[in-house]
Amino acid sequence: MAEFNPDDVQGDLFSRGFPKFTEVYYFFHIEPGKEKEFCQKVKTLISGEEKHISSISKVLEDWKQVDGAAAKNRTIDDTANKEWVPTVNALIAFSKPGLDSIQAGLALAGRPSLDLKYLNLSDPTFDMGMADDGPDNLNDPPVDSWDPLFRTTVIDGLLKVAGSDSQIVNDKLDHLKRILGHPQVITDIEGNSPPSLTNSKLEGHTRTGQHRGHEHFGFRDGLSQPLLKGINSEKALEADPYMQTDQNVITVSSAPPELQDGIEADPTRRPLWMVNGSFLAFRKLEQDVPRWIDLCNRFKDAGCKSPAHLGAKLMGRWPSGYPVAKFPDEDAPPNTPLDNNFHYKGVSKFNCPFGAHIRKVNPRTPGGAVTTARMIRNGIPYGTDFDPANPPTDPNDTRGLLFAAYQSCLENSFHFVQRTWSNGESFPLSKTGHDAISGQAKDRGLLYTTLHNEDDGHLVPGLGQFQESCVMKGGEYFFVPSISALKNTLGCD
């Protein structure tokens, strides 16, 4: 396997991703008849002295500055004297229709074909697109119930821009749109996605204060990311040995990882220009916080001590991030160092149900399907915090997660995990039930998750069936090309 080159891989494709407080997703369409001009614009993104699309090397340098300032700020009491590091980074990705448009533009320029004819064999999920794949294979809601942004116009591409504040991020986005010829060469998608009233765009923000780093159900997010040799520190690898991951699980390689059992795909048929790229599964997941609160308030029916106890069992972690596999009855004491080095061998299904979210999507057994199913998750929350004392009355005042997962093979990772593990009522054992957080039942039915009492008797009748608290509102599959592919293959003079 060729040595991984961090100068050639787009910068969000590792465990920490872009440093950010704000992140914008801008979806665009390539105007018919402007395909060649678009290819010329793509090349200008990375051809000059200023590289408008960030590499991992650039993002690692940003993190050094951010971490250095954070360490210094911990010694300063006066907020006014704390150091602030402005950062902004960008990523570009294309759907299958977008790659088709680029191929048409390259043909007009007399450039070689992208050789996309075998994508239906090498990467059938990407070739199909989420609108055709999701409702049939992942139990997604029907497309006509998705937000207008994801069902009105063909999405050809995505600009993802993240940074230290909203102004810097949106200024960068506007600059990139001008470079790509907006609004003549690329145009907006004619549809919005609440709470945003702006067509073509979604904006997320990290939550503030004590909620920073937590999603809207209240749990610390972004833990147990794949750790990649050559990028993550040896200290990180030692701290969570179960998450050590080969680079070819995340970025496309000439030596792809072994496929899961039963998957019909042949990654060896990909064109060589896709090496060092990655497939992105983007989904807008709306979180119904009142519904989640109501579910957790049924803790007595589920044999739990409190709403927080039931929530922790369904998630597999306490809101602080400590796993119930290590702290089964209550959250860890304050100031306990977070130890993410754990496994489920010998862990009672009473303490951590087989259907707990983090046990479902990451069983933490060494090797095999568990290792090759991993993906980098670098999304962000969106919407305002829910206040039970003042519940919103505007139906567009929604909140949730802009989910973004990178992997070298959708069939091996996101698609497999969602279809077989999260949705699978018999994974890892019969009568396990659904993943209560991200699972989706067949025919949009109700979910169930089997809980157990201390004698291993089922408590399913106690908790019963329940509605989804997390609803998919639209999305798409994208390919994130390498820096060199943008310059030498997808771009033209």
Side-chain angles (χ1 to χ4, degrees), residues 181-204:
H182 181 273
Q184 290 80 29
V185 179
I186 64 168
T187 55
D188 295 345
I189 305 301
E190 294 299 322
N192 71 330
S193 181
S196 173
L197 300 179
T198 304
N199 285 352
S200 212
K201 186 172 115 173
L202 284 166
E203 184 166 330

mmCIF file of all heavy atoms in Angstrom, residues 181-204:
data_model
loop_
_atom_site.group_PDB
_atom_site.id
_atom_site.type_symbol
_atom_site.label_atom_id
_atom_site.label_comp_id
_atom_site.label_asym_id
_atom_site.label_seq_id
_atom_site.Cartn_x
_atom_site.Cartn_y
_atom_site.Cartn_z
ATOM 1 N N GLY A 181 -17.748 30.633 -10.349
ATOM 2 C CA GLY A 181 -18.604 31.245 -11.355
ATOM 3 C C GLY A 181 -20.059 31.369 -10.984
ATOM 4 O O GLY A 181 -20.928 31.358 -11.867
ATOM 5 N N HIS A 182 -20.356 31.513 -9.720
ATOM 6 C CA HIS A 182 -21.744 31.726 -9.291
ATOM 7 C C HIS A 182 -22.160 33.158 -9.645
ATOM 8 O O HIS A 182 -21.408 34.089 -9.426
ATOM 9 C CB HIS A 182 -21.844 31.512 -7.773
ATOM 10 C CG HIS A 182 -23.226 31.672 -7.215
ATOM 11 N ND1 HIS A 182 -23.745 32.882 -6.819
ATOM 12 C CD2 HIS A 182 -24.209 30.755 -6.983
ATOM 13 C CE1 HIS A 182 -24.963 32.722 -6.366
ATOM 14 N NE2 HIS A 182 -25.265 31.428 -6.458
ATOM 15 N N PRO A 183 -23.328 33.372 -10.236
ATOM 16 C CA PRO A 183 -24.410 32.417 -10.488
ATOM 17 C C PRO A 183 -24.518 31.962 -11.944
ATOM 18 O O PRO A 183 -25.561 31.426 -12.329
ATOM 19 C CB PRO A 183 -25.638 33.234 -10.091
ATOM 20 C CG PRO A 183 -25.287 34.635 -10.559
ATOM 21 C CD PRO A 183 -23.787 34.771 -10.355
ATOM 22 N N GLN A 184 -23.473 32.193 -12.757
ATOM 23 C CA GLN A 184 -23.568 31.804 -14.165
ATOM 24 C C GLN A 184 -23.188 30.338 -14.387
ATOM 25 O O GLN A 184 -23.863 29.614 -15.133
ATOM 26 C CB GLN A 184 -22.669 32.693 -15.030
ATOM 27 C CG GLN A 184 -23.141 34.128 -15.170
ATOM 28 C CD GLN A 184 -22.791 34.977 -13.963
ATOM 29 O OE1 GLN A 184 -21.788 34.700 -13.286
ATOM 30 N NE2 GLN A 184 -23.599 35.991 -13.682
ATOM 31 N N VAL A 185 -22.101 29.885 -13.746
ATOM 32 C CA VAL A 185 -21.594 28.531 -13.965
ATOM 33 C C VAL A 185 -22.192 27.547 -12.967
ATOM 34 O O VAL A 185 -22.602 26.441 -13.326
ATOM 35 C CB VAL A 185 -20.052 28.517 -13.893
ATOM 36 C CG1 VAL A 185 -19.515 27.094 -14.097
ATOM 37 C CG2 VAL A 185 -19.460 29.460 -14.934
ATOM 38 N N ILE A 186 -22.234 27.927 -11.703
ATOM 39 C CA ILE A 186 -22.957 27.135 -10.707
ATOM 40 C C ILE A 186 -24.133 27.961 -10.208
ATOM 41 O O ILE A 186 -24.069 29.195 -10.152
ATOM 42 C CB ILE A 186 -22.069 26.691 -9.528
ATOM 43 C CG1 ILE A 186 -21.556 27.889 -8.714
ATOM 44 C CG2 ILE A 186 -20.920 25.822 -10.008
ATOM 45 C CD1 ILE A 186 -20.916 27.510 -7.387
ATOM 46 N N THR A 187 -25.202 27.287 -9.858
ATOM 47 C CA THR A 187 -26.394 27.967 -9.369
ATOM 48 C C THR A 187 -26.873 27.315 -8.084
ATOM 49 O O THR A 187 -26.529 26.178 -7.765
ATOM 50 C CB THR A 187 -27.528 27.916 -10.415
ATOM 51 O OG1 THR A 187 -27.764 26.548 -10.782
ATOM 52 C CG2 THR A 187 -27.162 28.714 -11.647
ATOM 53 N N ASP A 188 -27.695 28.065 -7.350
ATOM 54 C CA ASP A 188 -28.255 27.566 -6.096
ATOM 55 C C ASP A 188 -29.276 26.461 -6.359
ATOM 56 O O ASP A 188 -29.902 26.410 -7.418
ATOM 57 C CB ASP A 188 -28.954 28.690 -5.335
ATOM 58 C CG ASP A 188 -28.000 29.775 -4.870
ATOM 59 O OD1 ASP A 188 -26.774 29.536 -4.880
ATOM 60 O OD2 ASP A 188 -28.481 30.869 -4.504
ATOM 61 N N ILE A 189 -29.446 25.618 -5.374
ATOM 62 C CA ILE A 189 -30.540 24.644 -5.385
ATOM 63 C C ILE A 189 -31.818 25.383 -4.996
ATOM 64 O O ILE A 189 -31.832 26.131 -4.012
ATOM 65 C CB ILE A 189 -30.265 23.499 -4.396
ATOM 66 C CG1 ILE A 189 -28.909 22.832 -4.690
ATOM 67 C CG2 ILE A 189 -31.397 22.482 -4.436
ATOM 68 C CD1 ILE A 189 -28.773 22.252 -6.073
ATOM 69 N N GLU A 190 -32.874 25.196 -5.754
ATOM 70 C CA GLU A 190 -34.118 25.933 -5.489
ATOM 71 C C GLU A 190 -34.919 25.239 -4.391
ATOM 72 O O GLU A 190 -35.954 24.616 -4.646
ATOM 73 C CB GLU A 190 -34.942 26.060 -6.777
ATOM 74 C CG GLU A 190 -34.287 26.928 -7.846
ATOM 75 C CD GLU A 190 -34.079 28.360 -7.374
ATOM 76 O OE1 GLU A 190 -34.958 28.888 -6.665
ATOM 77 O OE2 GLU A 190 -33.025 28.944 -7.713
ATOM 78 N N GLY A 191 -34.443 25.343 -3.188
ATOM 79 C CA GLY A 191 -35.142 24.760 -2.055
ATOM 80 C C GLY A 191 -34.368 25.011 -0.784
ATOM 81 O O GLY A 191 -33.142 25.101 -0.799
ATOM 82 N N ASN A 192 -35.075 25.152 0.333
ATOM 83 C CA ASN A 192 -34.417 25.401 1.605
ATOM 84 C C ASN A 192 -34.594 24.199 2.533
ATOM 85 O O ASN A 192 -35.213 23.203 2.179
ATOM 86 C CB ASN A 192 -34.953 26.671 2.267
ATOM 87 C CG ASN A 192 -36.381 26.496 2.779
ATOM 88 O OD1 ASN A 192 -37.155 25.734 2.226
ATOM 89 N ND2 ASN A 192 -36.725 27.202 3.841
ATOM 90 N N SER A 193 -34.015 24.312 3.718
ATOM 91 C CA SER A 193 -34.092 23.240 4.709
ATOM 92 C C SER A 193 -34.142 23.890 6.087
ATOM 93 O O SER A 193 -33.128 24.380 6.576
ATOM 94 C CB SER A 193 -32.873 22.320 4.581
ATOM 95 O OG SER A 193 -32.939 21.256 5.512
ATOM 96 N N PRO A 194 -35.333 23.944 6.723
ATOM 97 C CA PRO A 194 -35.468 24.636 8.005
ATOM 98 C C PRO A 194 -34.504 24.097 9.063
ATOM 99 O O PRO A 194 -34.169 22.907 9.029
ATOM 100 C CB PRO A 194 -36.929 24.340 8.410
ATOM 101 C CG PRO A 194 -37.623 24.050 7.111
ATOM 102 C CD PRO A 194 -36.597 23.364 6.267
ATOM 103 N N PRO A 195 -34.041 24.954 9.981
ATOM 104 C CA PRO A 195 -34.519 26.319 10.220
ATOM 105 C C PRO A 195 -33.975 27.362 9.258
ATOM 106 O O PRO A 195 -34.348 28.525 9.340
ATOM 107 C CB PRO A 195 -34.047 26.596 11.651
ATOM 108 C CG PRO A 195 -32.816 25.770 11.805
ATOM 109 C CD PRO A 195 -33.071 24.527 11.020
ATOM 110 N N SER A 196 -33.078 26.983 8.343
ATOM 111 C CA SER A 196 -32.572 27.945 7.378
ATOM 112 C C SER A 196 -33.669 28.293 6.370
ATOM 113 O O SER A 196 -34.348 27.415 5.851
ATOM 114 C CB SER A 196 -31.365 27.375 6.630
ATOM 115 O OG SER A 196 -30.972 28.249 5.589
ATOM 116 N N LEU A 197 -33.833 29.582 6.100
ATOM 117 C CA LEU A 197 -34.786 30.032 5.092
ATOM 118 C C LEU A 197 -34.082 30.356 3.784
ATOM 119 O O LEU A 197 -34.714 30.792 2.821
ATOM 120 C CB LEU A 197 -35.543 31.266 5.610
ATOM 121 C CG LEU A 197 -36.339 31.053 6.902
ATOM 122 C CD1 LEU A 197 -37.016 32.347 7.331
ATOM 123 C CD2 LEU A 197 -37.371 29.943 6.733
ATOM 124 N N THR A 198 -32.756 30.135 3.742
ATOM 125 C CA THR A 198 -31.958 30.424 2.556
ATOM 126 C C THR A 198 -31.843 29.180 1.688
ATOM 127 O O THR A 198 -31.488 28.109 2.180
ATOM 128 C CB THR A 198 -30.546 30.892 2.962
ATOM 129 O OG1 THR A 198 -30.655 32.030 3.827
ATOM 130 C CG2 THR A 198 -29.724 31.262 1.737
ATOM 131 N N ASN A 199 -32.142 29.330 0.420
ATOM 132 C CA ASN A 199 -32.006 28.194 -0.493
ATOM 133 C C ASN A 199 -30.565 27.716 -0.548
ATOM 134 O O ASN A 199 -29.617 28.495 -0.412
ATOM 135 C CB ASN A 199 -32.444 28.592 -1.907
ATOM 136 C CG ASN A 199 -33.949 28.692 -2.040
ATOM 137 O OD1 ASN A 199 -34.689 28.330 -1.139
ATOM 138 N ND2 ASN A 199 -34.410 29.195 -3.184
ATOM 139 N N SER A 200 -30.402 26.410 -0.712
ATOM 140 C CA SER A 200 -29.111 25.816 -1.087
ATOM 141 C C SER A 200 -28.111 25.690 0.059
ATOM 142 O O SER A 200 -27.032 25.141 -0.141
ATOM 143 C CB SER A 200 -28.460 26.658 -2.210
ATOM 144 O OG SER A 200 -27.695 25.882 -3.067
ATOM 145 N N LYS A 201 -28.445 26.130 1.253
ATOM 146 C CA LYS A 201 -27.423 26.234 2.303
ATOM 147 C C LYS A 201 -27.950 25.781 3.659
ATOM 148 O O LYS A 201 -29.098 26.040 4.013
ATOM 149 C CB LYS A 201 -26.950 27.683 2.384
ATOM 150 C CG LYS A 201 -25.800 27.935 3.318
ATOM 151 C CD LYS A 201 -25.298 29.381 3.141
ATOM 152 C CE LYS A 201 -25.510 30.194 4.364
ATOM 153 N NZ LYS A 201 -24.918 31.527 4.316
ATOM 154 N N LEU A 202 -27.075 25.113 4.412
ATOM 155 C CA LEU A 202 -27.329 24.771 5.816
ATOM 156 C C LEU A 202 -26.159 25.265 6.651
ATOM 157 O O LEU A 202 -25.003 25.158 6.233
ATOM 158 C CB LEU A 202 -27.461 23.250 5.981
ATOM 159 C CG LEU A 202 -28.774 22.628 5.505
ATOM 160 C CD1 LEU A 202 -28.628 21.114 5.415
ATOM 161 C CD2 LEU A 202 -29.905 22.992 6.441
ATOM 162 N N GLU A 203 -26.458 25.791 7.821
ATOM 163 C CA GLU A 203 -25.400 26.284 8.704
ATOM 164 C C GLU A 203 -25.555 25.661 10.087
ATOM 165 O O GLU A 203 -26.650 25.654 10.651
ATOM 166 C CB GLU A 203 -25.439 27.810 8.803
ATOM 167 C CG GLU A 203 -24.313 28.403 9.640
ATOM 168 C CD GLU A 203 -24.162 29.911 9.459
ATOM 169 O OE1 GLU A 203 -24.480 30.416 8.362
ATOM 170 O OE2 GLU A 203 -23.721 30.577 10.410
ATOM 171 N N GLY A 204 -24.454 25.140 10.599
ATOM 172 C CA GLY A 204 -24.456 24.554 11.931
ATOM 173 C C GLY A 204 -23.469 25.265 12.832
ATOM 174 O O GLY A 204 -22.531 25.929 12.362
#
